[in-house]
Every structure is written in structure tokens, then in C-alpha cells.
């Protein structure tokens, strides 16, 4: 697999050049059809191109290549959340939690999915943690940076906060 081609694909997607990124990802997939990492990346590119249904199908193709993968559970939860299939997304997030109890994105993912369901109280619970050893005041480990997840989490927060700030909405 060409890592530089994969990085270029991700770069194109982040620049909003989705058709180019999708074409490159499809080409990478035909060249590396047995590598689940390509499927995962293609699914993220599809998700960023607002093709959540296609992203979910892509992830289903990756399942036999690497069953019980925490990455697969994370990406499925993210895609299902984008599709507003909150309950199914939570099932995947809970599976991720069982597969990898200390996964750095679980708290953010659960917060995003619970907010999508309108469960603000539950959304805050995963973020209520004690200070870990070596705590640095500016570092928030419970909100680990994973751009596809954090951007969606922030949008969910805005959905709740804007009506509070601007009552006419």
C-alpha cells in the first residue's frame, strides 16, 4: 500500500475535494482490497463527502477482513450517528468499550451519541472523570482529538446551546 497516496487522499478530503478523494480512495481499494485500513479510510472519506449510507456499506465490507476490530466499532458508531441511528450507534460504542475499555475516543463518542438522542444528562456522564496521574491542566484526555468525531460532537452541542442562547430560535 502506498502511504503517500493514502495521505494525499485524506488531505484532499479535508480540503473539501471529495470527488477527487473518493476517486483516489476507490483506486487504493482496488489495489489493496485485502487491507481493512483502506476500507476504514474510504469510509471516512465517504462520511466527509456526506455519503453516510455508502460509508456504512464500505465498513460492512471491511468486517470479514478484521472482525471484532475496535476501529470498525468506532467508525460504525460514528457513521450511524451521522445517519441519526442513535441506538445502533450506541450499541457500537458499547461494543467498542467492551473491546477496548481504555479507548481514548469512547467518552467523546458516547457524549456525541447521547446528545443525538437528546439525553444531555447521560451525555455528560462519560466526561465526569477524576484527574489521572500526570494530569496537565490544559489537556483533556476525555475529549481526545479525532477530527471526524469532535466536529460532530461540537455540532451536537451547538444544537442544544443555540436555543438556550437565542430563545427566538
Amino acid at each position: 500500500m502506498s502511504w503517500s497516496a493514502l495521505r494525499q487522499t485524506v488531505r484532499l478530503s479535508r480540503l473539501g475535494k471529495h470527488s477527487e478523494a473518493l476517486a483516489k480512495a476507490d483506486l487504493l481499494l482496488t489495489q489493496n482490497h485485502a487491507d481493512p485500513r483502506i476500507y476504514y479510510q474510504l469510509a471516512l472519506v465517504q462520511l466527509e463527502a456526506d455519503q453516510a449510507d455508502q460509508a456504512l456499506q464500505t465498513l460492512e465490507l471491511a468486517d470479514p477482513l478484521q472482525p471484532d476490530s475496535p476501529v470498525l466499532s468506532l467508525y460504525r458508531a460514528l457513521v450511524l450517528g451521522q445517519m441519526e441511528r442513535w441506538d445502533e450507534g450506541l450499541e457500537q460504542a458499547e461494543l467498542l468499550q467492551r473491546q477496548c475499555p481504555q479507548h481514548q475516543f469512547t467518552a467523546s463518542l458516547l457524549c456525541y451519541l447521547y446528545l443525538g438522542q437528546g439525553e444531555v444528562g447521560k451525555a455528560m456522564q462519560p466526561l465526569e472523570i477524576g484527574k489521572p496521574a500526570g494530569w496537565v491542566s490544559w489537556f483533556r484526555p476525555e475529549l481526545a482529538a479525532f477530527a471526524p468525531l469532535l466536529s460532530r460532537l461540537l455540532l451536537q452541542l451547538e444544537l442544544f446551546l443555540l436555543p438556550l442562547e437565542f430563545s427566538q430560535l
Side-chain angles (χ1 to χ4, degrees):
M1 172 177 55
S2 168
W3 290 107
S4 63
L6 184 58
R7 282 192 299 274
Q8 185 180 21
T9 302
V10 171
R11 186 174 152 274
L12 287 169
S13 178
R14 291 189 178 148
L15 291 172
K17 298 179 179 180
H18 300 300
S19 58
E20 292 176 54
L22 288 167
K24 285 195 174 292
D26 284 337
L27 179 62
L28 282 170
L29 188 59
T30 59
Q31 296 169 350
N32 304 283
H33 63 280
D35 189 342
R37 295 171 297 182
I38 300 296
Y39 289 89
Y40 301 152
Q41 194 57 55
L42 175 58
L44 283 181
V45 170
Q46 291 167 330
L47 189 61
E48 293 304 316
D50 203 25
Q51 297 179 3
D53 291 330
Q54 190 65 29
L56 189 58
Q57 290 175 13
T58 299
L59 292 173
E60 295 308 317
L61 294 173
D63 191 14
L65 299 173
Q66 197 174 29
D68 301 322
S69 164
V71 175
L72 185 60
S73 300
L74 170 66
Y75 287 13
R76 275 187 182 144
L78 190 59
V79 169
L80 289 164
Q82 182 71 24
M83 298 169 76
E84 297 185 3
R85 292 166 55 180
W86 307 114
D87 292 336
E88 293 171 77
L90 278 168
E91 288 173 15
Q92 289 298 309
E94 290 165 359
L95 176 60
L96 172 64
Q97 207 164 27
R98 288 191 302 276
Q99 292 168 327
C100 191
Q102 300 300 316
H103 196 283
Q104 62 181 340
F105 302 133
T106 304
S108 300
L109 181 64
L110 287 169
C111 184
Y112 164 64
L113 295 168
Y114 283 130
L115 281 173
Q117 281 187 322
E119 298 282 346
V120 178
K122 286 183 180 180
M124 295 300 115
Q125 286 175 354
L127 303 180
E128 294 171 3
I129 61 171
K131 291 182 179 178
W135 172 265
V136 178
S137 62
W138 52 265
F139 180 61
R140 300 283 308 272
E142 70 276 18
L143 293 176
F146 177 54
L149 174 57
L150 279 182
S151 62
R152 285 164 178 78
L153 175 57
L154 291 172
L155 288 173
Q156 284 297 342
L157 285 171
E158 284 182 7
L159 286 175
F160 282 96
L161 296 178
L162 280 176
L164 297 174
E165 193 173 331
F166 301 103
S167 58
Q168 65 272 19
L169 291 177

